[in-house]
Amino acid sequence: MKQYFFFFLFFFFLISSCKKEQIEILTQEIHSHTSHSLTDIFFVNDSIGYACGGNKYTIGLLLKTFDGGQTWNQPDSIIPKVANAQYFFNATEGFVAGYDTWLAQTVDSAKTFSASPSYNWETQDIYFGDREHGVRVNGSGYNEGKIMSTADGGASWAIVATLPNSLHCVTYSDHNTAFVGGYGVIYKSTDAGQTFYPLDVQGDFFVATDFPSASVGYFAGYQGMILKTIDAGNSFSKVMRENIAFAKREHFEALDFWDESNGFVVGDAGVMYQTTDGGENWKKIKPFTELNLRDIHLFSATSGIVVGDEGKVFLFRN
């Protein structure tokens, strides 16, 4: 009987230790003119921003705001498959990428797009370190991923790595340094995305990343792990542990940091956390929706916008 007592005591302690402080934030739901899922949001300044999404096999949509997300135009169908990610150099020029490696480019403030498929893969993310150098990552399922790179502003793309792990996120910490995350892996480039090498990490399926400075960066995993580096990827520490047995499972989709200390992470079933001390402590936001939150953009250390399933858009501030 004693061994059962200690088991239940351990179980109670485990569950209790997983509970995090919950706080309420002010939210405002914004009409997006679509019921399709919104997968990514990108702002070129405090006023002008884009949201993309759609249906995996039938439509890729783009929405635009001129007033910081308060109102959005009617969505435009720009590619025939879901739009997963986007990158805009400014209010005029940008790319939107999606399923079947569809890539759409605009040079006239999203009035028109040139779009084409290149391979039968799914582009999950796209990012540029400067006007010429950028990276796209591809992956579907778990077992294969590809890294594509451009050195001419997106006019041409080359496959620079084929990996046995699906890839889901990419960012640049400076003009020359890029990071890619995926199924149990993180890769780094120090030549603007032309070559990549693996970093010493393991564990989660890393689906989102953000580097608020050249040396400090964060990776969020779908199973709830968050890793932090303070030395540009030479080492990582775990600032939030992954899902564990007997506890409620939470799945992350995106994160954004205003600076090295202040950031938010969002995910499925409305999950949302905030840190103000660089991940040392996390406060759980009281859920304001039961739908999956797919992406987040911060306007300040305490305010921002999130997008998610069924075309949901929420402005928030703490």
Side-chain angles (χ1 to χ4, degrees):
M1 291 295 294
K2 184 180 292 186
Q3 64 185 19
Y4 292 107
F5 170 76
F6 283 115
F7 173 78
F8 286 114
L9 184 64
F10 171 75
F11 176 78
F12 176 78
F13 174 77
L14 189 64
I15 298 301
S16 298
S17 66
C18 292
K19 293 181 179 178
K20 298 178 175 67
E21 177 187 355
Q22 285 202 28
I23 59 175
E24 289 193 51
I25 60 174
L26 297 175
T27 62
Q28 177 188 2
E29 185 173 350
I30 304 298
H31 184 42
S32 68
H33 306 286
T34 182
S35 60
H36 288 291
S37 292
L38 298 175
T39 56
D40 190 74
I41 192 165
F42 192 100
F43 275 79
V44 298
N45 54 43
D46 287 342
S47 299
I48 299 175
Y50 297 88
C52 67
N55 179 278
K56 186 170 186 177
Y57 300 110
T58 61
I59 192 170
L61 298 175
L62 186 72
L63 294 73
K64 187 174 183 179
T65 179
F66 293 94
D67 55 12
Q70 294 287 341
T71 59
W72 295 82
N73 66 356
Q74 291 286 339
D76 293 321
S77 175
I78 59 170
I79 55 177
K81 305 290 179 73
V82 66
N84 287 328
Q86 59 200 318
Y87 187 91
F88 281 82
F89 301 107
N90 48 53
T92 303
E93 302 171 281
F95 290 91
V96 182
Y99 189 67
D100 280 353
T101 325
W102 273 92
L103 185 67
Q105 181 180 12
T106 183
V107 294
D108 58 6
S109 303
K111 293 176 182 150
T112 60
F113 279 90
S114 60
S116 62
S118 49
Y119 302 94
N120 189 27
W121 309 313
E122 184 167 10
T123 297
Q124 298 288 357
D125 203 4
I126 181 171
Y127 207 92
F128 280 77
D130 55 35
R131 188 61 183 80
E132 300 300 320
H133 297 89
V135 171
R136 297 155 65 188
V137 293
N138 307 309
S140 183
Y142 301 96
N143 298 325
E144 184 179 28
K146 296 184 186 294
I147 302 175
M148 303 180 69
S149 177
T150 181
D152 55 13
S156 62
W157 296 82
I159 300 170
V160 297
T162 299
L163 307 170
N165 309 76
S166 182
L167 301 175
H168 204 91
C169 59
V170 58
T171 194
Y172 278 74
S173 60
D174 59 39
H175 293 320
N176 292 316
T177 309
F179 292 87
V180 165
Y183 185 50
V185 294
I186 296 174
Y187 285 80
K188 181 179 179 179
S189 171
T190 55
D191 55 9
Q194 300 304 300
T195 61
F196 284 82
Y197 60 90
L199 301 181
D200 185 19
V201 299
Q202 59 183 353
D204 213 331
F205 191 158
F206 299 106
V207 295
T209 180
D210 186 40
F211 273 72
S213 69
S215 57
V216 176
Y218 298 84
F219 281 83
Y222 182 70
Q223 294 295 341
M225 179 189 294
I226 298 179
L227 297 182
K228 178 182 180 180
T229 179
I230 59 173
D231 54 15
N234 292 322
S235 62
F236 287 88
S237 61
K238 190 185 298 186
V239 294
M240 187 179 288
R241 65 184 177 183
E242 65 275 24
N243 291 320
I244 57 176
F246 307 117
K248 182 179 179 181
R249 305 184 74 80
E250 295 179 329
H251 300 292
F252 293 148
E253 299 281 356
L255 81 168
D256 193 28
F257 274 75
W258 177 251
D259 52 31
E260 293 182 357
S261 299
N262 295 279
F264 289 79
V265 60
V266 297
D268 293 357
V271 67
M272 186 175 189
Y273 285 92
Q274 178 188 17
T275 182
T276 58
D277 55 12
E280 292 296 318
N281 297 281
W282 294 87
K283 296 178 180 179
K284 188 172 185 178
I285 307 299
K286 186 176 180 180
F288 49 86
T289 179
E290 295 181 353
L291 296 173
N292 298 336
L293 300 175
R294 301 294 184 180
D295 201 15
I296 179 171
H297 172 81
L298 295 181
F299 296 119
S300 73
T302 57
S303 66
I305 187 169
V306 291
V307 297
D309 288 357
E310 298 184 10
K312 294 299 183 182
V313 178
F314 298 92
L315 290 168
F316 70 88
R317 63 184 177 89
N318 185 3

